[in-house]
């Protein structure tokens, strides 16, 4: 800091200067923080980087305050509503359908982001083809084994190739903490749309806002594409 | 030191260091900060989520404590009740050359300390600025729809990083307070002894007891 005094005896406004400098550094961090975080995460790796603020790591949320534990053998996914053949899938049923793999980021609406996550499962559109969607259907409602979380997608959104019912994640089975054995993964939208512990899909006439939408998040949680251009939403 | 010898010869009396408004503002802010730290822990370390309260509740408490953080300070500034707080903020803002030198030489130059020494002033500025950054980034995180996604990622980064910094600084503040009991008690009861003032804040002591300060002019 340069000591350039004002008129004799008036003193230096150090407070104002330091305050403005720190606030400006904060603002700069907001604008370049996304790339700084990526650089830092690469430098630190997943070990230390997993604990420090810059690290790429999942932050595990649970609305109900606990993680529902469902064994692979007892897992069931009921697809009902405006369909020709209401069906209950076991995990084996899902795995028997053609699988799709994606390597895409998980972007939380609160700002954290985990790049290059491996996902594997059945395209939602494939499940819908199995059960046969009726003409008047326009939307889907998703339910979770946690008994609280619900989600919604329009039928058009659900038919995108990057929307899957995932049973593998990060190169292994989806763990309980991450919503296993089966969760939704909606790649072009914020993480809250990727409902965990998927228990039921109902095909309905209109979109019914899910848990997070009723708590203020947008019903259509599109990533706006201003970061991570490589895996930003591309129109279907 | 002539200051302390003088204090010893005159009858010792107490000086008001912080008035009731300032103490109320300080302790309300401290309480809000404690709530923010306690609620931040499960929000940051996901594995602790839901141990006591559901995440949504914790999030709401954190949010409202955060938005309320500037309220005590803001309320303590205007009107006749804010006179002392305004004067102290001015003390923190405006530094004499000797104070800057004392800080840049890490205490090796001589200093007639004001009501707050330069390190205390810097601490106040630091906490004020970083709290403002926390509030700003918190607002971006909460009302995210109005900001680009990259700002939100950046805000998360800054919010997390500054949270650590701020916690370290506040822990330091608490440690210092516990090591300087009379200073701490002035934040509880408002007063310090004239002896304490003469030793620790001679410039302010002279100002309070109405003696002309020899360094007030001719700098």
């Amino acid at each position: 800091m340069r000591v350039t005094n004002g008129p004799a005896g008036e003193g230096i406004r150090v407070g104002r200067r330091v305050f403005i400098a720190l606030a400006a550094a904060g603002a700069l961090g907001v604008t370049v923080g996304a790339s700084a975080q990526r650089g830092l995460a690469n430098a630190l790796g997943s070990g230390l980087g997993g604990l420090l603020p810059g690290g790429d790591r999942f932050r595990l949320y649970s609305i109900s305050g606990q993680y529902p534990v469902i064994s692979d053998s007892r897992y069931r996914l009921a697809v009902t509503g405006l369909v020709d053949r209401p069906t209950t899938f076991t995990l084996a049923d899902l795995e028997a359908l053609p699988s799709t793999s994606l390597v895409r980021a998980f972007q939380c609406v609160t700002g954290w982001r985990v790049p290059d996550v491996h996902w594997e499962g059945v395209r939602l559109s494939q499940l819908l083809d199995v059960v046969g969607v009726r003409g008047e259907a326009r939307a889907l409602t998703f339910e979770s084994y946690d008994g609280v979380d619900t989600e919604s997608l329009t039928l058009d959104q659900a038919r995108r190739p990057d929307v899957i019912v995932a049973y593998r994640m990060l190169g292994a089975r989806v763990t309980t903490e991450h919503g296993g054995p089966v969760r939704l993964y909606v790649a072009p939208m914020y993480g809250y749309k990727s409902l965990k512990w998927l228990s039921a899909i109902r095909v309905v006439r209109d979109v019914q806002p899910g848990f997070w939408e009723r708590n203020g998040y947008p019903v259509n949680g599109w990533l706006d594409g201003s970061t991570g251009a490589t895996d930003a939403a591309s129109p279907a | 030191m002539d200051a302390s010898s003088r204090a010893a010869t005159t009858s010792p009396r107490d000086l008001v260091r912080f008035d009731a408004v300032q103490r109320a503002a300080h302790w309300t802010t401290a309480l809000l900060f404690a709530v923010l730290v306690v609620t931040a822990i499960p929000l940051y370390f996901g594995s602790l989520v839901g141990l006591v309260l559901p995440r949504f509740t914790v999030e709401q408490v954190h949010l409202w404590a955060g938005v309320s953080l500037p309220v005590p300070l803001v309320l303590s500034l205007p009107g006749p009740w804010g006179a002392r707080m305004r004067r102290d903020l001015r003390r923190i803002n405006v530094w004499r050359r000797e104070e800057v030198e004392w800080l840049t030489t890490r205490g090796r130059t001589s200093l007639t300390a004001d009501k707050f020494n330069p390190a205390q002033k810097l601490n106040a500025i630091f906490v004020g600025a970083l709290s403002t950054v926390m509030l700003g980034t918190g607002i971006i995180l909460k009302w995210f729809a109005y900001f680009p996604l990259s700002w939100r990622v950046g805000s998360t980064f800054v919010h997390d990083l500054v949270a650590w910094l701020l916690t370290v600084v506040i822990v330091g503040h608490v440690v210092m307070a516990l090591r300087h009991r009379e200073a701490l008690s002035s934040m509880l009861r408002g007063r310090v002894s004239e002896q304490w003032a003469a030793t620790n804040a001679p410039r302010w002591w002279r100002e309070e007891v109405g003696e002309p300060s020899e360094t007030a002019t001719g700098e």
Side-chain angles (χ1 to χ4, degrees), chain A residues 12 15-16 51 59 109-110, chain B residues 44 93 95 149 152 156 160:
Chain A
I12 314 142
R16 198 161 68 180
L51 275 180
R59 288 159 209 211
V109 71
T110 60
Chain B
Y44 187 78
N93 182 23
W95 294 38
L149 178 60
R152 193 169 335 148
T156 308
D160 288 3

Side-chain angles (χ1 to χ4, degrees), chain A residues 108-129:
Chain A
C108 179
V109 71
T110 60
W112 57 269
R113 179 178 188 276
V114 183
D116 305 329
V117 180
H118 166 268
W119 303 90
E120 191 181 339
V122 191
R123 275 189 191 152
L124 187 51
S125 62
Q126 240 147 5
L127 277 190
L128 295 177
D129 291 343

Side-chain angles (χ1 to χ4, degrees), chain A residues 3 5 10-12 14-16 19 29-30 37 51-53 57 59 61 109-111 190 215 217 224 226-227, chain B residues 44 46 55-56 93-95 97 100 125 129 132 137 141 144 149-156 158 160 164 219:
Chain A
V3 184
N5 218 334
E10 259 191 27
I12 314 142
V14 172
R16 198 161 68 180
F19 186 97
V30 167
Q37 179 170 26
L51 275 180
L52 291 176
R57 63 194 181 95
R59 288 159 209 211
Y61 301 152
V109 71
T110 60
Y190 286 115
N215 284 296
Y217 289 159
D224 65 15
S226 62
T227 192
Chain B
Y44 187 78
R55 181 187 162 86
F56 188 72
N93 182 23
V94 183
W95 294 38
R97 192 190 293 259
V100 176
I125 298 160
T132 307
T137 50
L141 292 178
F144 57 87
L149 178 60
S150 72
W151 282 29
R152 193 169 335 148
V153 178
S155 292
T156 308
V158 172
D160 288 3
W164 285 106
E219 212 171 296

Side-chain angles (χ1 to χ4, degrees), chain B residues 19-22 25 72-90:
Chain B
D19 66 12
V21 173
Q22 294 181 296
L73 176 64
V74 168
L75 288 182
S76 72
L77 284 173
W81 66 85
R84 263 177 185 272
M85 189 64 116
R86 291 198 299 273
R87 209 180 312 142
D88 281 352
L89 274 194
R90 231 172 357 251

Side-chain angles (χ1 to χ4, degrees), chain B:
Chain B
M1 191 196 265
D2 84 311
S4 48
S5 61
R6 203 198 143 82
T9 52
T10 55
S11 67
R13 55 194 179 109
D14 288 351
L15 303 176
V16 175
R17 188 163 180 242
F18 299 114
D19 66 12
V21 173
Q22 294 181 296
R23 282 175 281 148
H26 174 270
W27 290 110
T28 329
T29 306
L31 179 71
L32 288 171
F33 189 82
V35 169
L36 284 167
V37 171
V38 168
T39 50
I41 291 166
L43 294 176
Y44 187 78
F45 299 102
S47 53
L48 299 175
V49 162
L51 280 188
V52 183
L53 290 168
R55 181 187 162 86
F56 188 72
T57 312
V58 174
E59 199 183 287
Q60 292 299 307
V61 173
H62 187 81
L63 174 70
W64 288 109
V67 174
S68 317
L69 193 64
V71 172
L73 176 64
V74 168
L75 288 182
S76 72
L77 284 173
W81 66 85
R84 263 177 185 272
M85 189 64 116
R86 291 198 299 273
R87 209 180 312 142
D88 281 352
L89 274 194
R90 231 172 357 251
R91 286 181 211 276
I92 288 164
N93 182 23
V94 183
W95 294 38
R96 286 168 295 122
R97 192 190 293 259
E98 95 173 332
E99 293 179 293
V100 176
E101 275 160 10
W102 185 85
L103 194 75
T104 49
T105 60
R106 293 204 214 129
R108 279 195 288 273
T109 54
S110 73
L111 173 75
T112 314
D114 194 2
K115 183 169 181 182
F116 308 110
N117 72 42
Q120 291 171 317
K121 291 183 175 193
L122 189 67
N123 174 67
I125 298 160
F126 203 72
V127 169
L130 292 192
S131 302
T132 307
V133 169
M134 291 303 277
L135 185 65
T137 50
I139 285 170
I140 294 174
L141 292 178
K142 173 58 189 171
W143 289 279
F144 57 87
Y146 306 98
F147 305 97
L149 178 60
S150 72
W151 282 29
R152 193 169 335 148
V153 178
S155 292
T156 308
F157 179 68
V158 172
H159 202 78
D160 288 3
L161 199 69
V162 174
W164 285 106
L165 271 178
L166 203 50
T167 305
V168 168
V169 171
I170 300 280
V171 167
H173 174 67
V174 172
V175 168
M176 292 301 268
L178 293 175
R179 284 172 53 188
H180 299 272
R181 290 307 173 99
E182 189 160 358
L184 173 62
S185 110
S186 73
M187 192 47 95
L188 291 164
R189 286 183 279 277
R191 291 171 172 276
V192 286
S193 67
E194 203 178 327
Q195 172 94 53
W196 183 93
T199 315
N200 295 285
R203 213 178 139 87
W204 173 62
W205 169 69
R206 279 193 211 108
E207 190 183 306
E208 288 287 306
V209 299
E211 261 187 40
S213 159
E214 79 263 24
T215 50
T217 53
E219 212 171 296

